[in-house]
Amino acid sequence: ELVKRQNQQFDGLGNTIKSVRNQLVAAFGISELKEHIEKIFELTATWQKYTAALTVSLVSQKKASDALNMLQKYADVTNFTLDELADTFTKFANRGMVLGTENMVRLGDVANALQKPFKDLGEAILDINNTERWNELGIKAKTNGDKVSLTFKGVTLEVDRTEQGVLRAITAFGALNGVQGQTALQAQQLGGQY
């Protein structure tokens, strides 16, 4: 009796799946359905790629999952893609710097104030000794021994010439009047929504 009921439930589930498939084919047509399925596979593959990379970087699948969820939530309300954010986050994590939501928001605001991709700002932080890169971004950088002075929007901060020191400076720039909130403004624009 139990086996018979389970078989009926599986048959019912199978019929439901076939019905949904037929409705999707009717609504979207075969080529559109194929595109949607390919997009789902692409997104799943990207998610799995970053889960694997972050599990190694963060030494925990739970931490990797939490980080990806945070990045997805941030990507959903910004003009940045999950791929761009996860790639940058992974580069920082591989160097022992785990960025939190506040770091991401502040870096995003600076990137948008500069009208530069998020990943370019992240790469510049990780390549602090390349002052030419900073000048190309629009932030004046001057090194002096184990210190670096960064100037942005008329504010100069001198920090240790380390990735952590520069990250602190860029995070502080993200709180400046006229910089803070730039990502939210960009996300409201047509280009930030698509």
Side-chain angles (χ1 to χ4, degrees):
E1 182 66 34
L2 177 64
V3 172
K4 188 176 182 180
R5 271 191 283 146
Q6 285 179 337
N7 284 338
Q8 288 173 342
Q9 288 175 338
F10 284 124
D11 288 343
L13 179 61
N15 289 335
T16 301
I17 291 171
K18 286 177 188 174
S19 175
V20 169
R21 183 195 65 200
N22 292 340
Q23 289 174 2
L24 287 172
V25 169
F28 295 109
I30 294 202
S31 65
E32 288 86 2
L33 180 61
K34 183 180 175 191
E35 284 179 30
H36 289 290
I37 289 171
E38 286 173 358
K39 186 70 172 170
I40 290 168
F41 281 114
E42 181 182 312
L43 291 172
T44 302
T46 298
W47 190 269
Q48 289 174 342
K49 173 180 84 170
Y50 285 116
T51 298
L54 286 172
T55 297
V56 171
S57 298
L58 301 174
V59 195
S60 163
Q61 189 166 3
K62 181 177 178 356
K63 288 179 182 178
S65 180
D66 290 346
L68 272 176
N69 286 327
M70 179 266 297
L71 294 169
Q72 181 63 64
K73 286 178 185 173
Y74 183 57
D76 288 345
V77 297
T78 70
N79 57 316
F80 303 117
T81 65
L82 174 62
D83 199 43
E84 178 178 21
L85 296 173
D87 183 62
T88 302
F89 184 94
T90 302
K91 287 176 182 174
F92 276 87
N94 283 336
R95 295 194 185 193
M97 295 183 293
V98 179
L99 303 177
T101 303
E102 183 178 346
N103 295 120
M104 299 299 290
V105 169
R106 297 274 176 91
L107 294 179
D109 285 343
V110 172
N112 276 314
L114 294 166
Q115 295 293 299
K116 300 292 182 185
F118 192 94
K119 71 179 193 108
D120 288 0
L121 182 61
E123 289 172 356
I125 292 169
L126 297 174
D127 187 21
I128 182 50
N129 293 314
N130 186 347
T131 56
E132 185 177 314
R133 174 178 257 177
W134 284 100
N135 291 325
E136 289 171 1
L137 283 175
I139 295 175
K140 184 178 177 186
K142 183 178 178 188
T143 60
N144 184 17
D146 63 350
K147 299 287 184 185
V148 62
S149 294
L150 299 169
T151 303
F152 179 59
K153 298 264 184 199
V155 175
T156 301
L157 297 175
E158 184 177 76
V159 295
D160 291 337
R161 197 165 94 179
T162 63
E163 294 159 344
Q164 293 86 354
V166 175
L167 176 61
R168 280 192 297 279
I170 300 306
T171 301
F173 288 153
L176 291 175
N177 202 12
V179 176
Q180 187 173 16
Q182 282 298 307
T183 300
L185 289 173
Q186 288 294 323
Q188 291 172 2
Q189 306 305 312
L190 184 60
Q193 295 177 15
Y194 297 98

